[in-house]
Amino acid sequence: MRHFITLNDIRVDEFHHILELSATIKHQVKQGEYRHYLPNKMLAMIFEKQSLRTRVSFETGMFQLGGGAMYLGGEIGFGKRESIKDIAEVLSSMVDVIMFRGMKHQSVVDLAEYSTVPVINGLTDSAHPCQALADVFTLREIFGDLRGCKLAWVGDANNVAVSLLRASAKLGMKFSVAAPRQFQFDVDKIDKLIGEDKVEGFEIELTEDPFKAVKNANAIYTDVWVSMGQESEEEKRKKILSPYQVNSKLMSAAGRGAIFLHCLPARRGLEITDDVMDSSQSKVVQQAENRLHAQKGLLVWLLNEAQK
Ligand code: CP
Ligand code: NVA
């Protein structure tokens, strides 16, 4: 059974194919053509954490593809009222695909182990592959071929950054990460995170200097300083990460024509200023919309093609 737990679950050619498929489906929708690629297919979505984009994009996506989606929140008592194994087996008997957003990455790994239908990671503490898929889809729309494209990450090297690191390796992008030492990637673990695929053009730069990271960058990306589940560290994180705010001064140090990306939700006034969020350089709404299109490509590939 093929799952989508991290970007390491797909090969480079499959990554390109999913992006192409997503572009085709987006184009069809923009022409008013809603093709039912997944008639009667049902997606169960398990949420241990809050969400706007992930829920709305998966639910809308499944509806547009001719199927349906169901929200399962705290009431199912994931791993408490019932074991992950029992939940996986019961859901597999009734639905065609499962999406999980949760605390521990191990939970989605366990879910996939016991599930006989494909499982999609909708964010865990250590990865957000659906976000990275939509992000590179957005970069492709704006810049075309991504080989050599420079993406600068500024702030906490978190779950979203891990998935973007993997995406950069697979698509041959330059990934420059500016973070304080406590919240930076461990250089010795980069190879393990990436896995086997390192496409020509891929480069990684780790620095404490945001101005160094954004130099000649095509896109500047940031995310919240306090991710879901890290609330007890809020004060400490805000203090350490405050020099990593993306503001107009930092944006003007980037390459000409650089865009701004954020997975959202954003804490305006902390990691990002209003003027950058609301500037013409900001592509955050296009990026959010692309969660819908990229995930439709992923769902069609995973259910109609990948299991053969
Ligand atoms: N970017 C993202 O995953 O948004 P939500 O947390 O609102 O789903
Ligand atoms: N890093 C954030 C991303 C939210 C979409 C979090 O995990 O809360």
Side-chain angles (χ1 to χ4, degrees), residues 50-55 101 123 128 131 228 263-265 291:
Q50 294 172 304
S51 169
L52 173 68
R53 282 142 290 271
T54 302
R55 180 187 178 172
R101 158 163 294 198
L123 179 146
H128 198 358
Q131 182 66 53
M228 292 181 279
C263 56
L264 304 181
R291 289 291 302 279

Side-chain angles (χ1 to χ4, degrees), residues 67-110:
M70 134 195 2
Y71 176 90
L72 301 171
E75 74 279 5
I76 68 164
F78 185 82
K80 296 188 188 89
R81 180 172 183 262
E82 205 161 358
S83 72
I84 297 178
K85 179 174 188 286
D86 290 349
I87 290 174
E89 288 177 353
V90 171
L91 285 180
S92 298
S93 75
M94 297 190 211
V95 305
D96 304 282
V97 52
I98 299 168
M99 191 283 301
F100 175 78
R101 158 163 294 198
M103 303 285 179
K104 294 196 199 104
H105 190 75
Q106 189 58 42
S107 298
V108 75
V109 173
D110 292 346

